[in-house]
Amino acid sequence: MDFTSNHRPDDMARINTPELAQAFIDEAVAYTREQVGDGKVLLALSGGVDSSVVAALLIKALGKQLVCVHVNHGLMRKGESEQVIDVFRNQLGAELIYVDATDRFLDLLAGVADPEAKRHIIGEEFIKVFDEEAAKLEGIGFLGQGTIYPDILESEAGVKAHHNVGGLPAELNWELVEPVKLLFKDEVRVVGKQLGLPDSMVYRQPFPGPGLGVRCTGAITRDRLEALREADAIVREEIDAASAAGTLERPWQYFCVVPDYRATGVRDGKRAFEWPCIIRCINTVDVMTAEVPELDWALLKKMTKRILDEVPGICRVAYELSPKPIATVEWE
Ligand code: XMP
């Protein structure tokens, strides 16, 4: 395989078996060792499939010559940052810098209700935090990236800019290390599995960069964000369990939204004025259109009961029926 090329040869075999994944890993490790020599690589590790697989691959190739930075913006799902630390630092022995920037992000977002303004703040601040960490390090010559082949194709077609960490000072002039840039998503998962990453990471559903920030609509408050995080964990747990038991075909994406208004309820005989929680599930092929799966009534009732019983501040649960279009997948 030509790791210097941005073009996937037409006759390249699809990596869909452990043997093919291992052959790819061996080649990628050898190439990366040659490319980096005794240099050092920095990688922004979000916990998403692509950056996680690149991290595991680079740890195998480079050991402590790789430095990972995980920025927790306070908008991660329940247990996600903890899993990144456990898998990469504790199990794989990575050099991992963990930055808990929760207060920075939530303070900046306080009172900001406009969805685009929220997205902008989160994106800008993320780059700032990463740059600050990068500036503290010495001897870095390379930047690792979880670029995959659809990113290159979309970038060439002008659909979206080639995703990268962005705001790193240009004078750093770091060389890119992008070992999975010719692979499709399904192949990245097969490689991740072969590298021993847990299924919950390899088959992680897509999660937007602004995280729970676009699902805690309007101006984010810490208590509502916490309610959303707990409700989301219940929905993921129940849908994952039903999928594992074979009673449900795992939807493409499934999560909760907690809007910034309250509704009346009765709790312990007293009036309660609490938030509603909307469960959103979609199936899609290309994310341009999406359909809502018909979830089993018993599963919906079980999730509803658990959310109402276990999540303080939520007094109603609704299941969203809107397809895309007109509705987008995310509420903001
Ligand atoms: P929409 O809401 O546009 O979402 O229908 C389509 C898919 O994209 C995900 N999404 C994002 N992913 N950064 C990302 O990496 C983002 O800012 C972002 N916004 C939406 C969304 O979860 C869905 O899978």
Side-chain angles (χ1 to χ4, degrees):
M1 190 166 149
D2 181 1
F3 285 91
T4 61
S5 170
N6 270 358
H7 176 70
R8 180 176 170 121
D10 293 337
D11 60 353
M12 186 173 147
R14 199 81 171 191
I15 300 171
N16 54 11
T17 64
E19 293 73 26
L20 287 172
Q22 191 55 52
F24 169 80
I25 292 165
D26 293 343
E27 254 193 279
V29 163
Y31 174 77
T32 306
R33 283 187 183 146
E34 194 171 320
Q35 182 192 6
V36 173
D38 57 7
K40 268 189 147 180
V41 182
L42 179 65
L43 174 74
L45 175 57
S46 66
V49 183
D50 305 334
S51 70
S52 295
V53 172
V54 167
L57 201 52
L58 295 183
I59 290 164
K60 198 171 175 64
L62 305 168
K64 300 280 183 197
Q65 287 167 259
L66 173 73
V67 181
C68 300
V69 175
H70 176 71
V71 176
N72 178 0
H73 49 21
L75 303 165
M76 304 290 283
R77 289 172 294 186
K78 188 173 180 178
E80 235 164 10
S81 287
E82 291 81 354
Q83 185 187 35
V84 168
I85 294 171
D86 184 50
V87 168
F88 289 100
R89 186 186 281 165
N90 303 345
Q91 296 177 35
L92 298 178
E95 198 70 56
L96 171 68
I97 297 168
Y98 170 66
V99 188
D100 183 356
T102 301
D103 288 341
R104 262 177 87 155
F105 280 85
L106 296 189
D107 288 352
L108 275 175
L109 288 165
V112 181
D114 177 67
E116 291 306 307
K118 285 166 69 179
R119 281 176 170 273
H120 188 74
I121 288 171
I122 296 167
E124 292 270 299
E125 192 62 11
F126 196 90
I127 290 166
K128 237 192 226 174
V129 175
F130 186 79
D131 283 358
E132 283 172 20
E133 292 306 315
K136 292 181 201 161
L137 300 169
E138 281 181 9
I140 303 285
F142 299 83
L143 185 69
Q145 285 202 344
T147 312
I148 64 174
Y149 203 47
D151 297 331
I152 292 179
L153 295 179
E154 285 181 353
S155 160
E156 282 172 357
V159 177
K160 70 174 178 193
H162 182 47
H163 84 95
N164 58 34
V165 185
L168 282 173
E171 65 271 17
L172 285 177
N173 205 17
W174 290 343
E175 193 179 318
L176 295 181
V177 177
E178 300 175 297
V180 300
K181 71 176 175 184
L182 294 186
L183 304 195
F184 289 102
K185 195 83 169 188
D186 54 302
E187 300 179 294
V188 175
R189 294 192 208 274
V190 180
V191 168
K193 187 115 180 92
Q194 184 65 15
L195 285 163
L197 291 178
D199 280 2
S200 54
M201 226 165 217
V202 170
Y203 299 107
R204 183 185 191 258
Q205 55 168 315
F207 187 56
L212 297 180
V214 291
R215 299 174 181 173
C216 190
T217 69
I220 299 168
T221 58
R222 289 178 193 243
D223 50 359
R224 191 160 52 89
L225 178 62
E226 215 38 58
L228 166 62
R229 202 183 328 265
E230 289 301 319
D232 177 78
I234 290 171
V235 165
R236 284 193 292 139
E237 196 182 311
E238 292 298 335
I239 289 186
D240 286 342
S243 314
T247 57
L248 171 73
E249 195 167 326
R250 189 172 177 244
W252 199 82
Q253 217 171 353
Y254 41 104
F255 57 88
C256 292
V257 174
V258 177
D260 58 340
Y261 51 81
R262 294 175 192 255
T264 306
V266 180
R267 197 184 281 282
D268 302 326
K270 287 202 194 97
R271 178 178 189 268
F273 193 49
E274 302 177 353
W275 302 296
C277 168
I278 293 116
I279 300 175
R280 176 96 168 120
C281 285
I282 59 109
N283 279 326
T284 181
V285 175
D286 57 7
V287 205
M288 300 300 292
T289 62
E291 293 297 329
V292 177
E294 287 184 29
L295 288 200
D296 177 50
W297 196 246
L299 175 63
L300 283 169
K301 283 176 78 172
K302 187 173 182 203
M303 292 192 290
T304 300
K305 178 165 175 23
R306 281 198 60 195
I307 292 170
L308 294 178
D309 285 352
E310 297 173 32
V311 184
I314 291 184
C315 70
R316 278 167 199 255
V317 177
Y319 184 56
E320 181 173 3
L321 297 180
S322 331
K324 176 180 179 176
I326 296 174
T328 52
V329 176
E330 303 292 347
W331 270 43
E332 290 189 331

